[in-house]
Amino acid sequence: MASSASFALPGSSFLHNKKDLSVSVVPSTSQLSIYKCKQPISKNIVMAMETQQSERKPATTGSIKTPMSMTEKILAKASGKGGVRAGDNVWVNVDVFMTNDISGPGSIGIFRREFGQNAKVWDREKVVVIPDHYIFTSDERANRNVDILREFSLEQNIKYFYDIKDLSNFKANPDYKGVCHIALAQEGHCRPGEVLLGTDSHTCTAGAFGQFATGIGNTEAGFVLGTGALLLKVPETLRFVMDGEMPDYLLAKDLILQIIGEISVAGATYKSMEFVGTTIESLNMEERMTLCNMVIEAGGKNGVISADTTTFKYLEDKTSVPYEPVYSDAQASFLSEFRFDISNLEPLVAKPHSPDNRALARECKDIKVDRVYIGSCTGGKTQDFLAAAKLFLAAGKKVKVPTFLVPATQKVWVDIYTVTVPGSGGKTCSQIFEEAGCDTPASPSCAACMGGPKDTYARMNEAQASYLFTLSIRGVCVSTTNRNFPGRMGHKEGQIYLASPYTAAASALTGYITDPRHFLHQISHWKMVLERVKLNVFSKHMHEPKLKERGRELKTMDTKKVCEDVNIMDKKQMAVASPHGSEDSDEGREKSSPATPVQSSPDLSDESVFITSHLFDFLDSSLPITVKGCQWVLLYRAGRNMVYHSAHLLARATCFLVPVCWYVQFYVLIR
Ligand SMILES: CC(C)[C@H](C(=O)O)[C@@H](O)C(=O)O
């Protein structure tokens, strides 16, 4: 097992306040300057940043007479100006305006009051109305909010109104989407280079597409509905450079918790947060959305990520509206630049009651958990559920606390039931969740992310809280959502730990806050073993025609192929190897196989050409834990004594942990 990475850098001991973030340069022998934020933070969490400009040369479009950041460029374009500077106030033309059931009625009221009862919105094709917050409730006022959106949308002939009428079955509402920020992306309203304003602070999510996207208040929204324009102050830009290969136990949620923990919940107030670097480039669109979604938790005006091939591919089947991406100029000026080496980061949580109350997940291992919530615009996307399913699959265990799953949108709900989880042998997320004992995925909406009416699914309401409190004194929820203020998910005593879907799933399995490496490393180590075995088999026995053939199969191995192989295996060997067969003990198996060399205590007395003594030691110690919970484990057998010993040993080490053990002609397959 890999040990937890600690990445304390030399000389990391300076305390600076927030003001320092933008102006100070700490002399350092290394190229990086190390800062600490106001909050006391773990010594194990270190962030590297410098105020100098990056050497990176961002792509440039257009003239560089007035070098601009991406945000400045979008706002310049939207205000019809050749150039703008941070601090300018400009009238910006809006490409998309979005509202939802919480703030929509208020915005509509202001629009009618200011522009007249019979006024028409400036462009019925640019207004997107998405009921999503308090939907599946019998609360009359919440229902009335949706009714107001419906009346308005019908009266105004709004083109994009994602209505819900039948609350008893969301699937009976083909137009209904779910959480607005994810629906906007899925329906093609997030386009590079454009301006999206919405009456929800997490509208910044769309910055993942290289769009200027920000939340506005009801009064501003009323004005936008009437005019399609808004006076905006151009924000200064903070640049976050995230480089390095993202470890397989991290998700974008960890990255943004790291940033917010570093700069605080007010660290980016009215600033644009631009994310660049090799790590960012490697993220898929949903992960980029997670990152931008939470810029508001640092006070950011907006977040932006350069549009690239990942963006264009995502948009391919979602919009036919032409769009024009823009990029920061190489000479653009940024207020500060923050650098992170992501390869050293560990899984994080934000402890109650603030998103900047950062801690390492492993530091919180003694915190007992009462429930886990996976959902919302931040952590309820398809990739979030795939991540949770991957962890459950790796662990092969059942959850110890109620685990609520709330897909953000109807599309995510469908994905949960249809998309297969890699390495699962064709299982969908829903199957894995069911096996793990999670609650059935709920109807898509914001649900308990923001508490909601008392009957909101998974809400930490008083009845549940008192039940939980009896058992565990207080209600602790590990949640993939974005805010953990007191009362945010219902009960004011609730203790919310914000975390990635990996960490949330791992915590559900143990009932304590758990570093996901505890389960995920089982998979990555096993992959390493498979690689070595395959390499060995291929390199040593390629002259054997049959093995050559198998080698080709193995190279493109998928579970289906492996399953087919099981059908052609040697029955006698199968009987020998199956722990459920008549010879259940190791001893029995050894005796009943004439071809199996009997060795009561197999070891590497003869050096195997396939398994080095180093690998042998590794397998001997780690195999039982490694195999636990794995769906398929592929070992090998080549039919020669020396090799056979090794394979047999591997089988012995694993078969008592797994239900079926197969021997196949050239390799051993254990399920
Ligand atoms: C209801 C809405 C105005 C609010 C927001 O602005 O973000 C909500 O979505 C939230 O997450 O707190």
Side-chain angles (χ1 to χ4, degrees):
M1 295 281 151
S3 59
S4 341
S6 159
F7 56 107
L9 298 175
S12 55
S13 58
F14 309 100
L15 182 63
H16 291 257
N17 63 27
K18 189 155 45 64
K19 211 173 99 223
D20 294 330
L21 293 178
S22 58
V23 295
S24 297
V25 179
V26 178
S28 167
T29 47
S30 78
Q31 282 192 314
L32 299 172
S33 302
I34 314 301
Y35 291 65
K36 280 171 82 177
C37 66
K38 267 194 298 192
Q39 264 181 286
I41 56 170
S42 160
K43 287 201 182 81
N44 293 315
I45 302 173
V46 179
M47 174 206 169
M49 55 178 138
E50 58 181 8
T51 50
Q52 299 158 353
Q53 291 284 298
S54 163
E55 297 213 344
R56 183 183 308 278
K57 298 274 181 277
T60 302
T61 55
S63 161
I64 52 165
K65 275 183 197 152
T66 314
M68 286 184 281
S69 69
M70 198 193 316
T71 290
E72 288 164 350
K73 266 193 190 171
I74 298 172
L75 295 180
K77 197 173 91 173
S79 58
K81 293 184 183 299
V84 297
R85 286 184 192 286
D88 290 353
N89 289 299
V90 289
W91 282 100
V92 169
N93 291 314
V94 178
D95 295 294
V96 184
F97 168 79
M98 184 281 299
T99 193
N100 57 36
D101 56 300
I102 299 293
S103 35
S107 307
I108 290 166
I110 290 167
F111 165 69
R112 284 193 172 130
R113 191 187 70 206
E114 299 300 326
F115 290 87
Q117 291 303 316
N118 299 321
K120 290 285 176 198
V121 300
W122 100 98
D123 189 335
R124 70 166 200 93
E125 297 197 5
K126 291 187 174 174
V127 176
V128 184
V129 180
I130 313 183
D132 63 350
H133 274 68
Y134 300 157
I135 306 303
F136 304 103
T137 171
S138 57
D139 184 282
E140 283 176 13
R141 282 172 298 180
N143 296 162
R144 190 194 58 188
N145 276 2
V146 180
D147 292 342
I148 292 172
L149 295 186
R150 185 176 307 112
E151 282 158 25
F152 182 74
S153 298
L154 292 177
E155 168 204 305
Q156 297 283 335
N157 197 17
I158 298 295
K159 186 169 178 187
Y160 301 107
F161 171 45
Y162 300 121
D163 195 10
I164 181 156
K165 288 182 189 142
D166 184 351
L167 301 187
S168 65
N169 175 14
F170 74 89
K171 285 169 269 175
N173 303 270
D175 292 339
Y176 178 65
K177 303 297 171 217
V179 180
C180 57
H181 313 296
I182 311 307
L184 280 170
Q186 290 175 342
E187 297 306 310
H189 300 295
C190 302
R191 296 179 293 258
E194 293 192 354
V195 171
L196 162 68
L197 301 182
T199 60
D200 188 296
S201 64
H202 295 108
T203 303
C204 51
T205 310
F209 292 82
Q211 188 173 35
F212 177 87
T214 194
I216 57 174
N218 288 358
T219 308
E220 293 170 304
F223 188 83
V224 171
L225 278 170
T227 64
L230 192 64
L231 185 65
L232 280 177
K233 186 170 91 170
V234 179
E236 291 167 308
T237 297
L238 302 176
R239 205 150 180 258
F240 296 84
V241 185
M242 306 194 118
D243 281 323
E245 192 179 338
M246 182 117 141
D248 62 359
Y249 46 81
L250 291 185
L251 290 166
K253 183 65 169 285
D254 298 292
L255 308 189
I256 192 66
L257 290 181
Q258 167 73 344
I259 290 174
I260 300 169
E262 200 59 44
I263 67 174
S264 90
V265 287
T269 302
Y270 209 92
K271 304 286 185 295
S272 177
M273 296 171 75
E274 181 170 332
F275 303 102
V276 297
T278 55
T279 315
I280 305 300
E281 287 157 18
S282 73
L283 298 178
N284 61 47
M285 285 315 296
E286 290 194 355
E287 283 284 85
R288 294 179 189 188
M289 285 161 75
T290 305
L291 202 59
C292 290
N293 172 276
M294 284 187 71
V295 305
I296 186 59
E297 313 313 335
K301 181 70 174 169
N302 70 317
V304 272
I305 294 176
S306 297
D308 60 9
T309 48
T310 306
T311 324
F312 306 142
K313 198 163 178 350
Y314 181 95
L315 289 171
E316 244 167 40
D317 59 348
K318 297 193 174 57
T319 184
S320 53
V321 177
Y323 56 83
E324 193 191 338
V326 298
Y327 302 93
S328 287
D329 289 320
Q331 295 82 6
S333 66
F334 303 104
L335 186 62
S336 306
E337 187 165 282
F338 303 78
R339 292 180 158 269
F340 299 82
D341 177 2
I342 297 306
S343 58
N344 286 326
L345 193 63
E346 294 191 59
L348 297 170
V349 296
K351 298 190 287 184
H353 293 286
S354 180
D356 63 1
N357 197 4
R358 178 188 57 181
L360 294 173
R362 64 182 168 86
E363 286 177 331
C364 302
K365 65 179 173 32
D366 296 329
I367 306 288
K368 197 172 174 332
V369 171
D370 300 303
R371 55 168 58 202
V372 165
Y373 186 96
I374 301 178
S376 83
C377 53
T378 318
K381 304 177 288 314
T382 301
Q383 294 298 329
D384 298 312
F385 287 105
L386 275 167
K390 179 179 160 188
L391 191 130
F392 287 134
L393 180 73
K397 289 173 142 199
K398 287 205 174 287
V399 296
K400 291 207 169 125
V401 295
T403 302
F404 304 106
L405 312 169
V406 189
T409 62
Q410 182 137 209
K411 167 144 189 2
V412 176
W413 186 89
V414 170
D415 286 348
I416 288 177
Y417 283 89
T418 54
V419 174
T420 54
V421 178
S424 70
K427 287 187 183 174
T428 60
C429 292
S430 59
Q431 285 172 298
I432 291 168
F433 293 149
E434 195 180 340
E435 282 168 15
C438 302
D439 236 38
T440 306
S443 305
S445 80
C446 299
C449 169
M450 202 176 75
K454 277 263 167 78
D455 60 352
T456 301
Y457 175 76
R459 183 183 191 273
M460 298 178 82
N461 62 36
E462 282 177 57
Q464 284 170 319
S466 62
Y467 164 72
L468 291 170
F469 294 166
T470 313
L471 288 180
S472 61
I473 302 168
R474 53 184 196 168
V476 174
C477 178
V478 177
S479 178
T480 65
T481 53
N482 43 48
R483 288 178 179 157
N484 56 355
F485 313 138
R488 169 74 183 183
M489 295 184 77
H491 199 278
K492 64 178 190 229
E493 302 287 339
Q495 309 276 313
I496 303 163
Y497 286 77
L498 304 177
S500 78
Y502 279 158
T503 303
S507 306
L509 292 173
T510 61
Y512 288 85
I513 291 178
T514 302
D515 185 320
R517 283 173 290 188
H518 182 73
F519 296 109
L520 288 172
H521 270 175
Q522 294 179 10
I523 285 190
S524 49
H525 277 241
W526 188 244
K527 274 186 192 153
M528 185 188 84
V529 173
L530 285 183
E531 277 312 307
R532 294 188 66 157
V533 169
K534 275 198 274 179
L535 272 179
N536 281 328
V537 170
F538 296 148
S539 61
K540 303 286 179 186
H541 284 266
M542 270 314 192
H543 60 279
E544 290 183 25
K546 265 189 168 177
L547 189 57
K548 205 169 178 179
E549 198 183 301
R550 285 300 165 97
R552 270 198 296 271
E553 290 169 6
L554 274 172
K555 269 184 183 162
T556 55
M557 184 186 77
D558 61 14
T559 313
K560 191 164 163 277
K561 180 70 216 149
V562 172
C563 291
E564 282 165 11
D565 286 344
V566 169
N567 296 328
I568 56 159
M569 74 191 165
D570 179 336
K571 290 276 189 301
K572 193 166 74 183
Q573 288 178 345
M574 173 184 165
V576 169
S578 170
H580 299 305
S582 51
E583 289 95 14
D584 220 339
S585 70
D586 284 342
E587 238 128 82
R589 279 198 299 279
E590 284 163 2
K591 276 185 204 130
S592 65
S593 170
T596 308
V598 178
Q599 192 167 331
S600 54
S601 174
D603 59 28
L604 276 188
S605 49
D606 292 323
E607 183 81 359
S608 166
V609 291
F610 294 92
I611 299 187
T612 62
S613 54
H614 177 74
L615 180 57
F616 174 89
D617 289 343
F618 168 73
L619 289 171
D620 200 29
S621 60
S622 68
L623 207 59
I625 320 160
T626 306
V627 162
K628 211 171 176 181
C630 285
Q631 184 67 17
W632 295 98
V633 178
L634 179 66
L635 306 180
Y636 70 89
R637 168 182 174 243
R640 295 286 175 272
N641 284 357
M642 181 166 57
V643 178
Y644 208 87
H645 287 178
S646 307
H648 187 72
L649 172 68
L650 297 177
R652 277 174 56 113
T654 51
C655 65
F656 69 95
L657 288 167
V658 289
V660 185
C661 172
W662 305 110
Y663 273 28
V664 186
Q665 187 65 36
F666 292 101
Y667 45 88
V668 182
L669 182 69
I670 298 176
R671 192 181 186 180

